[in-house]
Amino acid sequence: MSPNVPELDRLPGLALPPPPLGGALEAELSRLAPVAPRRPWRDLARVGGLSLAYAAALVVLLTVRRDLHGLPVWWIAGYGAAWFAGFATLAYLALVPRRGAVMPRWRTTGIAAVIVALGFVTAGLVMHPSAEGSIELGLARVHEGHGCLELGLLTALVPVVLGALALRGALPVGSRWTAAGLGAAGGSLGGLVLHLHCPIADAWHLGLVHGGVVIVAAVLAAALVPRVVERRAPTGSR
Amino acid sequence: MTAEATTLMLRYCDGDPGAFRELYALLAPRLLGYLAHMARDRAVAEDLLQHTFLKVHRARAAYVRGADPVPWIYAIAHRTFLDEARRSQRAIARVDREGEVPEVAATLTGQERAAAEDAAPRHDPEVAAAAMAALESLPPQQREAVILTKLDGRSIAEAAEIAGTTPGAMKVRAHRGYVALRKLLGGAA
């Protein structure tokens, strides 16, 4: 229990008479134009819709994995649903604040990003069915799968950039954790694309490369996105 | 205050400059008090206040219709203070390296002990002055926790949201701040 400090009650109230508005603010007010406030659900729909369309186009362009028909349906469907759920949940947490708040829930987003990233690495290491047409690289050749990391990050780019643009000005605090959440969301979408495209089926590749996409995307987004998010928000209509 | 601020923020986003002035009149006094306690310099705090509202103005499209803008605006003030403090630290580091004199106020980094003298104590001037001096000698994070939770009357959760930390960490900062104040003011009560 904190000690009582009655002396603080002797201090005057926090309020101080403020100065008049400065010249810069007066100049801005003289040309004040209406703006449309942010609509988080619309932002989520836009980011989700465009990102999924982009991911689908990538899968179509790159073709689906050649061992798809030999793999267990439960694994293809369940693991694919998990990747999608990771993307949708993290994008929701990063973009939609709790009711009545302006700032997104960066703490929950950050925690969720860590859980999702570690979850996919673990899941890849533990569950790795293969079928005719699957490729096994093993730990010694895991670095040869770097193309998957690049494809995953390329997929993550769209949701991360769209999300960062949607959040401009909304994150005076917690921007790195929210950015990590956006990055992990993008990485999850990248994982979904890889799940449908990449025929490499060994544990190390699925865990360290496909799961690693989530971690790398989250770290890169945390490092780079705050610079975009903290820039002035557009004052035109949204 | 929350409902009024929300209404004003909506009118302001709709392009009513009078609403911005009313919002300023509603929030600026307490924000200035918060910034004056954090910066320990009234002039610097007034600059930070102007920067805060300029940032609010430029980021107003990030506001969510119907949401309480007060924690967001406080968080912008918090961030503005931190940015200025870091800038001052860098300037002081430059002085150490190059012998140049920075133009920024050194008060933000504790180089000067100017109190918010305009704030006249209500009761015992000596006790109030001692409390003010003790508060200003606290590390910035503890000082901010005490200011937000005690002087501004915010909950631990609200203070944590403003400062960009967890409620648990804010509670620890406030507790340590109270313990330190109790020690500092041991003979002044």
Side-chain angles (χ1 to χ4, degrees), chain A residues 86-145:
Chain A
F87 165 68
T89 304
L90 287 168
Y92 164 75
L93 288 173
L95 292 171
V96 181
R98 66 177 168 73
R99 193 174 179 80
V102 178
M103 296 180 285
R105 351 168 202 214
W106 58 269
R107 189 156 38 97
T108 311
T109 308
I111 292 168
V114 171
I115 291 171
V116 167
L118 295 178
F120 279 123
V121 170
T122 307
L125 290 171
V126 172
M127 288 186 293
H128 45 88
S130 58
E132 190 179 339
S134 297
I135 298 171
E136 302 274 341
L137 290 178
L139 181 59
R141 293 171 62 200
V142 74
H143 61 280
E144 291 178 24

Side-chain angles (χ1 to χ4, degrees), chain A residues 71-210:
Chain A
L71 291 165
V73 174
W74 67 266
W75 184 77
I76 285 289
Y79 208 34
W83 283 115
F84 175 77
F87 165 68
T89 304
L90 287 168
Y92 164 75
L93 288 173
L95 292 171
V96 181
R98 66 177 168 73
R99 193 174 179 80
V102 178
M103 296 180 285
R105 351 168 202 214
W106 58 269
R107 189 156 38 97
T108 311
T109 308
I111 292 168
V114 171
I115 291 171
V116 167
L118 295 178
F120 279 123
V121 170
T122 307
L125 290 171
V126 172
M127 288 186 293
H128 45 88
S130 58
E132 190 179 339
S134 297
I135 298 171
E136 302 274 341
L137 290 178
L139 181 59
R141 293 171 62 200
V142 74
H143 61 280
E144 291 178 24
H146 66 85
C148 284
L149 184 65
E150 289 149 19
L151 176 59
L153 294 178
L154 187 69
T155 311
L157 196 61
V158 167
V160 170
V161 169
L162 291 175
L165 291 174
L167 286 172
R168 277 179 301 171
L171 286 170
V173 293
S175 58
R176 289 209 186 278
W177 286 108
T178 305
L182 269 181
S188 298
L189 189 66
L192 179 59
V193 168
L194 293 172
H195 177 61
L196 297 173
H197 167 68
C198 171
I200 302 173
D202 67 83
W204 299 108
H205 183 79
L206 289 184
L208 301 184
V209 180
H210 290 199

Side-chain angles (χ1 to χ4, degrees), chain B residues 30-90:
Chain B
R30 295 184 77 81
L31 273 173
L32 181 60
Y34 162 69
L35 289 167
H37 280 297
M38 292 306 295
R40 298 184 289 198
D41 183 286
R42 175 68 182 262
V44 173
E46 289 186 357
D47 276 351
L48 293 175
L49 182 73
Q50 297 289 330
H51 280 298
T52 297
F53 275 93
L54 202 54
K55 285 183 180 178
V56 169
H57 174 74
R58 289 176 174 166
R60 66 192 189 281
Y63 174 67
V64 177
R65 192 171 285 275
D68 177 7
V70 177
W72 175 57
I73 294 173
Y74 264 81
I76 291 174
H78 162 87
R79 183 55 192 264
T80 305
F81 164 74
L82 284 186
D83 288 347
E84 182 60 23
R86 284 175 190 144
R87 202 169 64 84
S88 299
Q89 285 284 14
R90 283 198 296 272

Side-chain angles (χ1 to χ4, degrees), chain A residues 7 9 11 14 17 19 22 35 38, chain B residues 13 24 33 42 50 63 122 189:
Chain A
E7 291 87 346
D9 295 331
L11 286 176
L14 196 64
V35 295
R38 190 163 65 91
Chain B
C13 287
Y24 182 83
R42 175 68 182 262
Q50 297 289 330
Y63 174 67
R122 284 177 301 192

Side-chain angles (χ1 to χ4, degrees), chain B:
Chain B
M1 185 166 81
T2 294
E4 191 179 357
T6 303
T7 307
L8 290 171
M9 193 70 201
L10 282 173
R11 280 175 45 207
Y12 163 47
C13 287
D14 288 340
D16 178 0
F20 179 83
R21 293 180 198 283
E22 288 180 51
L23 190 68
Y24 182 83
L26 180 70
L27 298 180
R30 295 184 77 81
L31 273 173
L32 181 60
Y34 162 69
L35 289 167
H37 280 297
M38 292 306 295
R40 298 184 289 198
D41 183 286
R42 175 68 182 262
V44 173
E46 289 186 357
D47 276 351
L48 293 175
L49 182 73
Q50 297 289 330
H51 280 298
T52 297
F53 275 93
L54 202 54
K55 285 183 180 178
V56 169
H57 174 74
R58 289 176 174 166
R60 66 192 189 281
Y63 174 67
V64 177
R65 192 171 285 275
D68 177 7
V70 177
W72 175 57
I73 294 173
Y74 264 81
I76 291 174
H78 162 87
R79 183 55 192 264
T80 305
F81 164 74
L82 284 186
D83 288 347
E84 182 60 23
R86 284 175 190 144
R87 202 169 64 84
S88 299
Q89 285 284 14
R90 283 198 296 272
I92 288 165
R94 198 172 65 238
V95 173
D96 289 346
R97 283 197 311 273
E98 303 170 10
E100 293 174 6
V101 178
E103 292 179 0
V104 295
T107 50
L108 287 168
T109 53
Q111 302 295 303
E112 188 182 308
R113 295 293 312 280
E117 286 148 359
D118 297 350
R122 284 177 301 192
H123 304 296
D124 185 339
E126 282 185 18
V127 174
M132 181 74 83
L135 180 63
E136 291 183 353
S137 69
L138 294 179
Q141 289 185 339
Q142 292 176 19
R143 189 164 72 243
E144 181 174 49
V146 173
I147 291 166
L148 288 173
T149 58
K150 178 69 180 177
L151 300 187
D152 204 31
R154 305 213 158 261
S155 68
I156 289 287
E158 286 173 327
E161 189 179 5
I162 289 165
T165 188
T166 62
M170 179 55 70
K171 207 168 181 177
V172 169
R173 289 176 190 176
H175 173 77
R176 288 180 179 162
Y178 285 126
V179 169
L181 283 174
R182 186 65 276 151
K183 279 184 187 167
L184 288 166
L185 294 166

Side-chain angles (χ1 to χ4, degrees), chain A residues 55-67:
Chain A
L58 278 178
V59 173
V60 170
L61 198 70
L62 299 168
T63 72
V64 292
R65 56 194 297 170
R66 64 190 184 207
D67 58 347

